[in-house]
Amino acid sequence: MVLLIEKLNKIYSKLENHHPHPHPHPQHQSEVLLASLEAFKSDVSNFINQLRLNLKPGTGILSLTWVQQCFELLCFTNKAFAKLAVDIDYHMREWKAKTIEEYLNSSLSLLDLLNSVTSSLSHLRQARLLLSHALSVVGSSSSPASGIERLKDFKFKTLNKDFKQQEGKEADKERTSSDKEWVVYQALMEVKRIEFWVCSVLMAALSGDAKPYLEMRKSAGMLSSTSLVNLDNRVYEIIVEKGFVLREVEELKEGADGLAASAAAKGSSNTAVEEMQRRLKGFEELLDSFRKGVDRLFSEVLTGRNELLHSIRYTKH
């Protein structure tokens, strides 16, 4: 996000040098700032609303595909924030200490959360490998019984990690909507809330454990936008009220149980084993795509932090 802001700021500065504009009237500037902040909120809300629409009523289950779309909300929100900073012409070198501190703290928290998401994906990948091995044993004429027992005992691991939000500082009450710092800080806090909510859903969905999500919900004032509240209500219904596992995980578990029962009764079927292997291959591709997206965002956030820290040191000298 920081790199994107810096790149856009450079382009913006070049355009300003070629086409200088007079300073706007304070009232007009206030309207422009408010409009930019509202545009940021509207863009993010539209993305959230689409996520809610993709959770069709009555399904009562989350898919890995939807969870990956939920992750994309993190990337979209960070880009929207960068666009806001450029739209109001508020360079990072002008940020006040409080905003810089909040950005550094929240980005560090996001890095830790992304590590947890990566860990959950790794657990799913390991479970997939174990299931694939069990299928290969079932398909072997030498020891199918061993494979059958492994299929019966197969299960996905849950995540054991405390998940608590670090509260950010409240925006100063005396700041007005004409203050660029105030606008950026408001947007930054919204980004932080969304990041925390998304990561709690990701870890709950990927681990099959509702604890991370429920701990997030204990945070007072966590959800500020109507669109996020509406989406959260749907997610709560699926994760907490109905109990859940990912659709793809449920299908693999049911397939493994069915194959184990069938193989124990009348011997293994090559066709059934091949079908399960095909499902596992598709599951692996989804996990790989998801992992690449998480790694990419992690790299962007880490690079952005380093760039900001470098600019702070450079400014001090």
Side-chain angles (χ1 to χ4, degrees), residues 100-113:
I100 292 175
E101 179 185 3
E102 187 60 48
Y103 173 80
L104 291 175
N105 288 339
S106 62
S107 60
L108 184 62
S109 176
L110 178 58
L111 289 174
D112 181 56
L113 294 174

Side-chain angles (χ1 to χ4, degrees), residues 48 58 65 72 168 185 209 229 249-250 259 278 290 296 306:
I48 294 173
T65 300
E72 290 299 327
Y185 192 85
D209 185 356
V229 169
V249 171
E250 183 178 59
L259 184 58
R278 185 188 65 78
F290 202 158
R296 183 166 54 251
N306 292 337

Side-chain angles (χ1 to χ4, degrees), residues 6 12 63 75 90 105 108 112 175 178 194 229 239 245 256 276 281 303:
E6 287 300 310
Y12 184 88
S63 69
C75 306
Y90 194 48
N105 288 339
L108 184 62
D112 181 56
R175 287 181 176 171
S178 63
I194 291 173
V229 169
I239 291 181
V245 291
M276 278 294 295
K281 180 63 176 177
T303 302

Side-chain angles (χ1 to χ4, degrees), residues 134-235:
L135 288 174
S136 67
V137 175
V138 169
S140 171
S141 58
S142 60
S143 57
S146 174
I148 292 172
E149 290 304 315
R150 294 184 186 187
L151 287 176
K152 289 180 179 179
D153 294 337
F154 172 76
K155 61 182 179 179
F156 287 88
K157 297 180 180 179
T158 59
L159 180 70
N160 183 20
K161 176 182 172 64
D162 291 333
F163 191 84
K164 297 180 180 179
Q165 181 200 20
Q166 294 181 350
E167 296 292 340
K169 300 176 182 178
E170 293 293 330
D172 294 339
K173 299 298 183 181
E174 65 270 16
R175 287 181 176 171
T176 67
S177 59
S178 63
D179 188 342
K180 293 181 180 181
E181 173 77 5
W182 181 87
V183 170
V184 167
Y185 192 85
Q186 295 297 314
L188 181 58
M189 294 304 296
E190 185 66 14
V191 170
K192 180 179 178 178
R193 285 188 286 265
I194 291 173
E195 287 175 345
F196 192 78
W197 183 88
V198 169
C199 288
S200 74
V201 174
L202 295 185
M203 285 191 284
L206 295 174
S207 67
D209 185 356
K211 180 182 177 181
Y213 174 73
L214 291 175
E215 287 184 350
M216 180 282 299
R217 272 186 140 249
K218 294 177 182 178
S219 300
M222 184 63 230
L223 307 179
S224 59
S225 70
T226 301
S227 57
L228 193 57
V229 169
N230 291 335
L231 175 59
D232 180 66
N233 288 337
R234 288 286 293 115
V235 172

